[in-house]
């Protein structure tokens, strides 16, 4: 009955089993057998050599990635609704030691090559103006929209022309890939992405996210930044074990497909109430205050999302039997 955030979902069985299996003595920090397997496991997934660091939160993954891609005197081009702007309490600016976020608008919380070019072109090559060094996009976006491989590649082309790095906030990357049905490589490094914050906690993990560098040389300095930031956990094997368990047999993808299916069920019931396309596991619906109160009185939990709008988020463990009562309640309004 709780649809306010996929962060509220329990950890999936594969993760719980992996934590139990990792509950043995091993080397501390990231010198353990599980952490040593991460680069290879993620390299196999993406079909190219990557370097991977575990971190406990998506905010840490985003901020550390941007610190690797943008100097303190630089700027990051991102959407005005991006999580790094709206929901991370200045962490990117803190971790980069002052890099500025330059905000761009766009439908569905998505950036377009044209909007990026326009924003970049307005900046003089002048010591008095902060210069962009990176672009950050979110897939799936805060509005539940998904960038296709072609859309990412078009932004990647802009990044290359302007000598900018490209970061992808993938807190719901699994949901995006599940929607697209493409290889993870197609929407990341093949399209020009340099660093990916690969989300697992929203998708059935407990306390581990993956910072994936498609330029492995970026990982060396980031290991020092991770330690300095207080994110080098002494028992890192418990984080690495979660990531490996979700990669094994594509648990990460199966979980995302289940969450997306739940969102699709709500979307079908909402019909004309939808305020945007449903492409991942977030559904935005127009509701009056009285209608929202009726749903809450029936036991459904969700966020108000601006005047006259609500957001419903489905999770990996919310199958049709869980989602159907909400869908029926919305249809009956």
């Amino acid at each position: 009955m709780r649809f306010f955030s996929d962060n509220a979902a329990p950890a999936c069985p594969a993760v719980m089993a992996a934590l139990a299996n990792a509950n043995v003595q091993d080397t501390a920090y990231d010198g353990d057998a599980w952490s040593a397997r991460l680069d290879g496991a993620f390299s196999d997934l993406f079909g190219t050599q990557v370097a991977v660091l575990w971190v406990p939160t998506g905010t840490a993954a985003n901020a550390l990635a941007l610190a690797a891609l943008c100097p303190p005197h630089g700027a990051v081009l991102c959407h005005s609704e991006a999580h790094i702007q709206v929901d991370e309490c200045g962490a990117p600016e803190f971790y980069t030691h002052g890099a500025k976020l330059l905000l761009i608008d766009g439908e569905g919380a998505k950036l377009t090559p044209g909007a990026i070019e326009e924003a970049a072109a307005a900046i003089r090559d002048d010591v008095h103006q902060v210069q962009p060094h990176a672009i950050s996009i979110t897939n799936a976006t805060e509005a539940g929209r998904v960038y296709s491989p072609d859309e990412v590649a078009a932004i990647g082309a802009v990044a290359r022309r302007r000598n900018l790095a490209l970061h992808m906030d993938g807190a719901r990357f699994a949901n995006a890939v599940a929607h697209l049905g493409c290889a993870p490589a197609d929407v990341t490094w093949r399209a020009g992405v340099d660093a990916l914050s690969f989300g697992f906690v929203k998708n059935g993990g407990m306390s581990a996210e993956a910072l994936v560098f498609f330029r492995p040389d970026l990982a060396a300095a980031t290991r020092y930044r991770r330690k300095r930031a207080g994110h080098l956990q002494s028992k890192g094997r418990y984080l690495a074990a979660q990531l490996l368990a979700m990669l094994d047999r594509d648990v990460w993808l199966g979980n995302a497909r289940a969450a997306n299916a739940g969102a699709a069920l709500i979307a079908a019931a909402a019909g004309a109430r939808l305020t945007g396309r449903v492409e991942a596991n977030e559904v935005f619906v127009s509701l009056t205050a009285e209608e929202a109160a009726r749903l809450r009185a029936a036991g459904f939990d969700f966020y108000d999302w601006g005047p006259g709008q609500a957001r419903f988020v489905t999770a990996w463990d919310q199958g049709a039997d869980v989602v159907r009562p909400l869908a029926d309640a919305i249809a009956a309004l």
Side-chain angles (χ1 to χ4, degrees), residues 7-327:
N7 287 313
C12 68
V15 164
M16 297 304 293
L19 288 168
N21 291 336
N23 196 30
V24 295
Q25 190 174 46
D26 203 307
T27 305
Y29 304 108
D30 58 357
D32 59 275
W34 289 265
S35 296
R37 292 168 51 200
L38 288 180
D39 287 0
F42 279 87
S43 294
D44 289 343
L45 176 66
F46 286 100
T48 192
Q49 187 62 45
V50 302
V52 179
L53 281 70
W54 47 251
V55 290
T57 69
T59 294
N62 284 335
L64 287 168
L66 294 175
L69 300 175
C70 184
H73 61 273
V76 177
L77 298 166
C78 68
H79 197 277
S80 59
E81 297 176 32
H83 201 270
I84 59 174
Q85 161 64 13
V86 177
D87 290 299
E88 294 188 344
C89 197
E93 295 92 331
F94 179 76
Y95 278 64
T96 59
H97 295 272
K100 188 177 181 66
L101 300 183
L102 299 180
L103 309 181
I104 303 172
D105 292 327
E107 189 268 333
K110 294 171 73 173
L111 298 184
T112 64
I116 295 169
E117 287 280 19
E118 183 179 358
I123 301 168
R124 301 189 311 272
D125 186 7
D126 186 319
V127 72
H128 296 287
Q129 292 204 317
V130 66
Q131 301 298 306
H133 283 255
I135 302 167
S136 180
I137 60 175
T138 309
N139 207 14
T141 74
E142 284 72 22
R145 298 288 294 280
V146 169
Y147 286 94
S148 70
D150 286 346
E151 288 174 319
V152 179
I155 292 172
V158 174
R160 287 192 299 275
R161 280 198 304 272
R162 290 191 167 272
N163 196 30
L164 305 175
L166 180 55
H167 163 253
M168 179 177 285
D169 177 351
R172 295 186 174 95
F173 179 72
N175 303 95
V177 174
H179 171 77
L180 293 167
C182 67
D186 292 341
V187 75
T188 54
W189 66 270
R190 287 181 185 147
V193 174
D194 297 295
L196 167 69
S197 306
F198 193 156
F200 285 85
V201 173
K202 285 179 168 63
N203 194 34
M206 177 182 284
S207 57
E209 309 278 44
L211 173 47
V212 182
F213 286 116
F214 299 106
R215 290 162 49 192
D217 59 292
L218 294 171
T222 303
R223 295 184 188 280
Y224 288 92
R225 292 190 183 98
R226 180 178 64 172
K227 172 61 177 179
R228 187 171 185 263
H231 289 303
L232 180 61
Q233 297 201 13
S234 62
K235 295 181 180 179
R237 61 187 179 277
Y238 294 100
L239 281 74
Q242 294 177 56
L243 303 179
L244 292 170
M246 293 190 70
L247 291 190
D248 187 36
R249 297 186 299 278
D250 286 337
V251 169
W252 68 282
L253 196 53
N255 284 358
R257 287 172 177 153
N260 287 5
L265 190 61
I266 297 170
R273 290 181 178 274
L274 291 177
T275 59
R277 293 206 300 271
V278 177
E279 297 177 343
N281 66 322
E282 295 180 279
V283 185
F284 297 86
V285 175
S286 60
L287 294 176
T288 67
E290 186 273 335
E291 289 170 335
R294 283 167 58 188
L295 290 178
R296 289 190 171 103
F300 301 108
D301 194 3
F302 54 91
Y303 280 131
D304 294 321
W305 210 258
Q309 183 175 240
R311 185 190 78 164
F312 300 89
V313 184
T314 52
W316 69 271
D317 65 331
Q318 292 176 313
D321 58 329
V322 175
V323 177
R324 176 63 67 184
L326 171 62

